Amino acid sequence: MAGQGNPAHGATAHIPVLLPEVLGHLAAGEGDRVIDGTFGAGGYSRAILEQGSDVLAIDRDPDAIATGRRLEKAKTGFRIVEGRFSALDDLADAAGFVPVDGVVLDVGVSSMQVDQAERGFSFRLDGPLDMRMGPDGAKAGDVVNKASVRDLAVIIGVLGEERKAGRIARAIEAARRDEPILRTGQLADIVSAAVGGRGPARIHPATRTFQALRIFINRELEELALALQAAERVLREGGRLVVVAFHSLEDRIVKRFMRDRSMSDVGSRHAPQVRSDPPTFSIATRRPIEPGEHEIESNPRARSARLRAAVRTGAPARPVDFSTVGVPRLNNVPGPEAFA
Ligand SMILES: C[S@@+](CC[C@H](N)C(=O)[O-])C[C@H]1O[C@@H](n2cnc3c(N)ncnc32)[C@H](O)[C@@H]1O
C-alpha cells in the first residue's frame, strides 16, 4: 500500500510515485492512447497528457472520479470512467478507446483515502471500520464482526502475511463478545494488545491486519490479476504495460504474470516442455525499479514501491490463471459479499 500517511485530519495531496520512471517506460507521446487504470489524484494522467497523449482514466473511488470530472472539463484528450480496473478492457471498449499504446496501474490506496479518517483505512486516525475503495460491498467492520475465528485467522495470515494471525483472530472474537468492533482505533488497540504492543518493531502492530482486511474486502489481488489480463487484451503490438505495486503479494502477481507471458518454454531441464502459447509480452525491467533515497526522503510512502514494465507482442491474449500468477487461495473462506 502507499503508506499510512501523516496523521493530519484532512486528506493530504497525493504525490505520484516513480513518475519519471513510469513515463519513461510508458514511452507515450503525441497522439498515443493510454489507459490510467488508477486515476487517484491524477498525477500520472496529468503528466501523460502533458506529453501529448490521450488518456482514458479509471477509478472505483467516487472522490477520485470527482477530481477527474474537473480535469475532464479543463483538458481535451482526457476522459474518466467510474469502475474497476479488472474490467478496463470492457470500459475501454465502451468508450471506443481500443487498441491502446499504454496501460499504467498504480495499485493500492491513495493518500486521500488513507488520510481521511471517515474512510476507515488508517489505524492512526480513528474512524469507522470501512476500508471500501468504492461505494458498495462489505465493510471491514462487517468482516471483523461476522467472520468466524478460523476465517479471520486465514484472512489475516494469508493476506496480511501475519505470523500471529491466530492470536489476533481469537482476540477479536473475545472483544466482539462484549461489544461490536466499529472503529479503526478499537481494532488497532485489540490487535496491539494481542501481539504484545509496539516493541522494537518498525511498523505498527496492526499494519498487517489492516492490510489484510483492506485487500480482502476490495478483492485487491483478484482485481490486479484480472487487470493484467484485461491490459493484455487492449494493448496493441508494441504497447507498454507499466505497473507500480506496494507490497509483496501484489508485486509477486505482476512478476509472475510478466514471467509467464514472456516465456515460450516451460518445464525443467530434465523434462523440457515446449509451450504452445506464444509469448504475449517481453519484459522491459529485468529487476523491479525502486525509488531512490531522494524520492523516499521527500515522499516516505514511496518506500515500498516496485515498478515492472513489459512490451506487448502481437500474440493473441489468453485468460489469466490465478494459481499461476500467485493469487493466494483462502481455504474455503467465503468472498467478502458473504459478510455484507
Ligand atoms: C495509489 S492511487 C493512484 C494515484 C495516482 N497514480 C496519482 O498519481 O494520483 C490508487 C488509486 O487506484 C484506485 N483503485 C484501487 N483499486 C482499484 C480497482 N480495482 N479499480 C479501480 N480503481 C482502483 C484507488 O481508488 C486509488 O484512487
Side-chain angles (χ1 to χ4, degrees), residues 14 16 37-44 58-61 64 83-85 106-110 113 133 223:
H14 184 97
T38 51
F39 177 76
Y44 290 177
I58 297 166
D59 208 294
R60 67 193 285 191
D61 184 326
R84 295 175 178 228
F85 55 49
D106 177 18
V107 290
V109 279
S110 69
Q113 290 167 333
M133 285 189 180
E223 277 290 307

Side-chain angles (χ1 to χ4, degrees), residues 108-315:
V109 279
S110 69
S111 307
M112 293 78 66
Q113 290 167 333
V114 172
D115 295 342
Q116 279 180 55
E118 62 277 16
R119 299 295 300 267
F121 283 103
S122 175
F123 44 77
R124 295 188 202 284
L125 304 171
D126 187 41
L129 257 184
D130 191 323
M131 298 195 205
R132 290 169 307 164
M133 285 189 180
D136 318 308
K139 300 175 183 174
D142 295 326
V143 177
V144 164
N145 288 293
K146 294 183 194 165
S148 66
V149 175
R150 178 206 167 266
D151 288 355
L152 280 172
V154 173
I155 293 167
I156 297 169
V158 176
L159 299 181
E161 301 181 288
E162 169 64 70
R163 281 184 301 117
K164 296 175 181 166
R167 206 192 291 177
I168 294 169
R170 287 191 297 278
I172 289 174
E173 144 83 357
R176 74 189 184 188
R177 259 187 261 136
D178 293 336
E179 54 173 350
I181 304 167
L182 301 174
R183 311 282 301 173
T184 54
Q186 226 181 327
L187 180 62
D189 290 346
I190 294 163
V191 176
S192 299
V195 302
R198 196 181 276 261
R202 216 166 43 87
I203 62 166
H204 187 287
T207 305
R208 294 197 171 89
T209 301
F210 273 63
Q211 172 188 304
L213 290 167
R214 199 198 85 207
I215 293 176
F216 178 70
I217 64 157
N218 292 298
R219 288 191 174 276
E220 289 180 35
L221 302 179
E222 292 96 326
E223 277 290 307
L224 175 57
L226 292 171
L228 298 173
Q229 166 186 281
E232 185 178 82
R233 291 186 180 147
V234 295
L235 280 165
R236 67 159 173 82
E237 184 173 355
R240 313 290 188 98
L241 171 63
V242 180
V243 188
V244 178
F246 287 86
H247 59 73
S248 54
L249 294 174
E250 290 168 347
D251 184 52
R252 187 176 68 179
I253 290 172
V254 182
K255 179 170 91 182
R256 289 201 186 173
F257 176 84
M258 289 185 178
R259 199 173 54 194
D260 176 58
R261 299 312 226 225
S262 61
M263 278 193 312
S264 44
D265 297 316
V266 288
S268 68
R269 194 155 47 93
H270 306 293
Q273 192 186 343
V274 175
R275 224 174 139 129
S276 51
D277 319 309
T280 53
F281 282 100
S282 66
I283 294 178
T285 45
R286 259 175 191 284
R287 302 173 63 79
I289 297 175
E290 300 176 14
E293 265 173 47
H294 184 69
E295 176 166 4
I296 296 173
E297 227 168 80
S298 57
N299 183 17
R301 63 184 77 208
R303 70 188 173 277
S304 50
R306 304 274 176 282
L307 180 155
R308 294 182 190 269
V311 183
R312 185 75 170 90
T313 69

